[in-house]
Amino acid sequence: MTRVVFIERDGSTREVEGKPGDRLLDLAQNAGEPLEGTCEGQMACSTCHVIVDADDFDRLPPAVEEEEDMLDLAAGATRYSRLSCQIWLSDVLDSLTVRIPPDAKNMQGR
Ligand code: FES
């Protein structure tokens, strides 16, 4: 089991349990997190963007180039950003903490 902790936009946390093979985007959506995942994992949107805890980031398989390209366009992206549709839980992850980025719509027009 992987303990997945979501840090909400307001700073509160929500914890769910995932199993190997679960996709982070699906877990987030099932938990009611506000990740749209518009393209359903095609790496053609960035509405599934999350910011991974710095320690956990290094334990994830690295992003492929298409994912990196998409993250360049994601609002509020940091060097620890990932697309949650490209993260699958595995046995090596006992816990995973990710932050929901600021609302993209609120960031436009600044
Ligand atoms: Fe579109 Fe992840 S759901 S890139």
Side-chain angles (χ1 to χ4, degrees):
M1 283 298 199
T2 303
R3 192 171 60 98
V4 181
V5 181
F6 296 104
I7 305 175
E8 314 280 338
R9 291 181 177 134
D10 65 4
S12 61
T13 58
R14 186 182 313 191
E15 210 176 296
V16 298
E17 290 223 318
K19 53 185 188 324
D22 282 351
R23 196 168 63 151
L24 185 60
L25 175 62
D26 300 325
L27 274 179
Q29 289 182 333
N30 289 341
E33 297 299 331
L35 297 178
E36 283 175 34
T38 314
C39 77
E40 295 176 351
Q42 303 301 306
M43 289 190 272
C45 70
S46 55
T47 59
C48 63
H49 167 213
V50 293
I51 299 167
V52 180
D53 176 85
D55 290 335
D56 291 340
F57 188 85
D58 291 332
R59 296 193 293 148
L60 295 173
V64 297
E65 205 177 315
E66 289 89 337
E67 181 180 348
E68 296 284 5
D69 289 348
M70 218 56 237
L71 286 168
D72 285 343
L73 306 173
T78 78
R79 63 176 292 248
Y80 298 116
S81 290
R82 290 298 302 264
L83 297 177
S84 62
C85 69
Q86 300 303 313
I87 296 176
W88 284 268
L89 301 186
S90 70
D91 283 332
V92 297
L93 284 175
D94 52 344
S95 75
L96 176 63
T97 300
V98 299
R99 194 150 51 84
I100 307 298
D103 191 348
K105 295 186 194 78
N106 291 344
M107 293 190 59
Q108 282 165 8
R110 270 195 192 170

